[in-house]
Amino acid sequence: MSFAISADFIAAENAKHAAALAEDYDALGRQLARRGIAIEAMTERAMSYAVAVPTWGVGTGGTRFARFPGPGEPRNIHDKLEDCGVINQLTRVTPTVSPHFPWDKVSDYNALRQEAASHELGFDAVNSNTFQDQRGQRLSYKFGSLTHADKATRLQAVEHNLECIEIGRQLGSTALTVWIADGSNFPGQSNLNAAFDRYMESLRIVYDALPKDWFVFLEHKLYEPAFYSTVISDWGSSFMAALELGPRARCLVDLGHHAPNTNIEQIVARLIRAGKLAGFHFNDSKYGDDDLDSGSVDPFRLFLVFNELVDAELRRVEGFSPAYMIDQSHNVTDPIESLMASAVEIQRAYVQASLIDRELLEAAQGGSDVMLGHRLVKQAFITDVSPILAEARRRKGGAIDPLGLYRAAGYRAQKTAERPPAESTSAGIV
């Protein structure tokens, strides 16, 4: 029988922290009350927030040089759902998973949907994969997929995306995420405009096949593996494609897919204004597309992104409904621990951004009071909302201390015993 963390164990562990949490929660409540903020309103906002986890994220990642498998890592989609279920069970902020195909293919998707539900999970956007060749694949994507110079290869990539839509429909998803590695490594290797034209021709077929309530999320990436030119390299290219395709095509923002020092929050603001923000792939970076844990390097940037998102939410911007997902590679940590920590940090940034006095901020901006405007934003960022997050988890049946409880339960050791090492795995990013 597969090991699972019980509700009784969670309750027993929470009891050890209940008094301290109540004391911290009351203290923070009094502090916020002096600023005219009701802590209960913030706790309700924390309880309402959700971010998806990727099925591939619960496996050990890697680099261009090596991958070091972790103990008890998932061998298939069924193991992945178990691990994703634990993340949500303890944090109560990740109720959906984002699958990747063909990595997560099964023969019965209705059964898979029911299996996910047994872990209290639903399905977020489905992801296609034409950035690597699969076993038995007829034509190679070495020189491109949706933009390949060979029409037959492009059509093969299109057919895969159409298959992903059908799978997603059975799983209850309403969006397809498309990221391609297409580009060039040498000047003269590809005609830059012709490649973009072929992308649009291919995506048009996919877009026209979307169910009426579906969206396609276009993901850009500055570089890697195409180091000279990438077909969809920035938000401008993504925006051009989404604008040309139509209203159900939107631009996905991965926090690591930008040039160093790019003002990502301004890009977010522009896409919101244009009605083209699909949502986010959350992670963090120091040098480039590092796929580090969210909030581990630059939590202030994450907060500033949420400043724009909360502003749009509170202004009730028409059509504003971003999809949130974590997209990280866990090379040296337990992936479950990293994903839990990241989910909490993302939720933290959301609640912190909700603390900003918007009326006062607008007045400061209108009066060119630079320091007041900055301090209002910074005051929200430096407020420790940990008691709010912990109380939100407790009320929803989660763990006051997710990481501590996870370790106390011995989940990783149990899964290591249950899951013999596999020669290969469809989890993790290399």
Side-chain angles (χ1 to χ4, degrees):
M1 185 175 177
S2 181
F3 173 78
I5 299 174
S6 70
D8 288 343
F9 186 79
I10 294 174
E13 289 295 305
N14 280 351
K16 300 175 183 178
H17 305 283
L21 173 58
E23 182 179 334
D24 292 345
Y25 189 80
D26 289 344
L28 178 58
R30 290 191 295 271
Q31 178 197 137
L32 293 177
R34 290 195 295 271
R35 290 155 55 180
I37 301 170
I39 192 170
E40 281 297 312
M42 291 300 110
T43 304
E44 288 176 9
R45 285 181 68 77
M47 293 174 69
S48 71
Y49 185 77
V51 58
V53 292
T55 56
W56 63 92
V58 289
T60 306
T63 69
R64 289 189 296 128
F65 304 103
R67 177 182 178 276
F68 301 95
E73 66 181 353
R75 302 154 299 178
N76 49 50
I77 181 59
H78 311 292
D79 290 348
K80 294 176 195 176
L81 289 177
E82 274 192 337
D83 289 356
C84 291
V86 167
I87 295 167
N88 187 51
Q89 181 186 23
L90 300 186
T91 67
R92 294 297 173 179
V93 73
T94 60
T96 56
V97 296
S98 188
H100 217 301
F101 300 104
W103 294 341
D104 295 330
K105 288 186 75 170
V106 295
S107 59
D108 187 340
Y109 291 103
N110 287 324
L112 188 66
R113 188 174 181 178
Q114 293 173 20
E115 182 181 345
S118 73
H119 296 291
E120 299 184 77
L121 298 171
F123 286 96
D124 196 67
V126 294
N127 300 261
S128 61
N129 181 342
T130 62
F131 52 81
Q132 61 183 196
D133 290 347
Q134 308 297 329
R135 184 177 300 175
Q137 184 175 308
R138 190 170 65 87
L139 300 169
S140 175
Y141 296 135
K142 180 177 181 179
F143 297 109
S145 59
L146 293 174
T147 75
H148 201 290
D150 175 59
K151 185 174 183 179
T153 306
R154 296 199 302 274
L155 289 176
Q156 176 181 271
V158 167
E159 286 297 325
H160 170 64
N161 278 276
L162 298 181
E163 179 188 26
C164 288
I165 292 173
E166 174 54 27
I167 293 172
R169 189 188 62 77
Q170 295 179 58
L171 293 176
S173 176
T174 56
L176 169 71
T177 297
V178 179
W179 174 72
I180 57 170
D182 297 25
S184 64
N185 281 298
F186 292 89
Q189 178 182 338
S190 176
N191 182 297
L192 302 183
N193 272 332
F196 189 85
D197 289 342
R198 291 193 291 268
Y199 176 81
M200 293 306 303
E201 178 185 296
S202 299
L203 252 293
R204 171 57 63 185
I205 301 172
V206 176
Y207 182 86
D208 289 344
L210 291 173
K212 300 218 177 282
D213 59 341
W214 272 55
F215 289 89
V216 61
F217 298 160
L218 309 183
E219 184 176 1
H220 64 269
K221 186 173 183 178
L222 184 65
Y223 67 94
E224 189 191 35
F227 286 94
Y228 173 67
S229 71
T230 299
V231 177
I232 306 297
S233 58
D234 52 27
W235 78 277
S237 299
S238 177
F239 181 70
M240 285 173 59
L243 201 61
E244 187 173 323
L245 284 172
R248 290 184 291 138
R250 295 187 177 179
C251 307
L252 192 67
V253 178
D254 184 303
L255 296 188
H257 289 189
H258 305 266
N261 304 316
T262 297
N263 189 328
I264 299 174
E265 55 268 31
Q266 182 166 280
I267 294 172
V268 171
R270 295 290 182 270
L271 289 174
I272 290 172
R273 182 181 183 277
K276 283 295 184 182
L277 179 66
F280 289 86
H281 279 184
F282 289 114
N283 48 56
D284 212 335
S285 66
K286 179 67 175 177
Y287 301 106
D289 186 25
D290 306 332
D291 273 336
L292 302 175
D293 289 10
S294 300
S296 63
V297 175
D298 194 351
F300 190 47
R301 181 178 66 180
L302 179 63
F303 164 80
L304 292 175
V305 166
F306 270 101
N307 177 41
E308 299 302 325
L309 295 170
V310 170
D311 175 70
E313 176 196 346
L314 296 179
R315 287 190 290 111
R316 290 183 166 82
V317 172
E318 185 178 355
F320 178 75
S321 182
Y324 299 127
M325 192 194 81
I326 302 171
D327 186 14
Q328 302 170 174
S329 181
H330 312 110
N331 308 322
V332 295
T333 60
D334 180 327
I336 292 177
E337 293 188 356
S338 275
L339 286 166
M340 287 196 300
S342 294
V344 170
E345 290 308 302
I346 293 164
Q347 185 187 34
R348 181 189 308 279
Y350 173 70
V351 174
Q352 286 174 322
S354 301
L355 298 177
I356 298 173
D357 187 326
R358 298 286 160 179
E359 290 186 11
L360 196 54
L361 179 61
E362 185 177 351
Q365 292 168 341
S368 298
D369 191 335
V370 178
M371 187 53 68
L372 176 58
H374 173 66
R375 292 310 304 171
L376 287 168
V377 171
K378 200 64 179 289
Q379 181 187 38
F381 173 68
I382 63 175
T383 302
D384 184 4
V385 297
S386 297
I388 292 174
L389 308 183
E391 178 62 12
R393 290 192 296 272
R394 186 194 68 80
R395 292 183 186 182
K396 296 182 75 173
I400 292 175
D401 176 15
L403 178 58
L405 192 151
Y406 171 77
R407 291 188 171 189
Y411 182 86
R412 180 58 63 188
Q414 292 283 348
K415 292 306 168 184
T416 300
E418 290 179 16
R419 302 170 180 171
E423 288 186 8
S424 63
T425 177
S426 60
I429 303 174
V430 179

